[in-house]
Amino acid sequence: MSKKIRTEAVDHLFEAILSLQDKEECYIFFEDICTVNELLSLSQRFEVAGMLRTQKTYLDIAEKTGASTATISRVNRSLNYGNDGYDMVFSRIGYEKNNKEDIQGTL
């Protein structure tokens, strides 16, 4: 049984997040609402997703991010069978383009 995430409380949280105006406000808010480990876990998953999108191996990803293979696999499943949220954000922030430029710069 899956948990229902579309609740009034989640709506309020997302409205609060959408009200943030810059990166500094994000740091302030997320340091208050999340533990350090929760925030680091979220950022690790995002990094893993980006590396999976640029065809990095599980071993490379685990070495660079410290993520377990279970976490990498879970993120990979979201990328392949999820709601395309990662892809939506990556395209908006130019993640793959910037990552390809970084890779080409090291060749």
Side-chain angles (χ1 to χ4, degrees), residues 30-98:
F30 280 95
E31 284 182 42
D32 282 348
I33 199 165
C34 295
T35 65
V36 170
N37 286 338
E38 289 169 336
L39 191 53
L40 292 175
S41 291
L42 290 171
S43 64
Q44 181 186 63
R45 288 182 205 148
F46 190 73
E47 185 74 12
V48 165
M51 293 179 76
L52 285 167
R53 274 292 176 242
T54 58
Q55 308 300 311
K56 298 284 190 250
T57 66
Y58 276 35
L59 181 60
D60 289 339
I61 295 168
E63 287 177 357
K64 179 162 191 232
T65 67
S68 68
T69 55
T71 296
I72 298 166
S73 180
R74 195 173 315 118
V75 171
N76 194 42
R77 192 168 40 255
S78 292
L79 285 169
N80 292 318
Y81 305 107
N83 295 315
D84 297 326
Y86 283 114
D87 291 334
M88 175 181 61
V89 171
F90 288 152
S91 69
R92 289 183 183 170
I93 65 171
Y95 187 90
E96 290 186 24
K97 178 180 181 257
N98 291 338

Side-chain angles (χ1 to χ4, degrees), residues 10-26:
V10 174
D11 283 349
H12 291 157
L13 173 63
F14 290 165
E15 288 168 10
I17 293 169
L18 290 169
S19 77
L20 301 171
Q21 296 182 1
D22 57 30
K23 197 182 300 183
E24 185 58 31
E25 287 188 2
C26 287

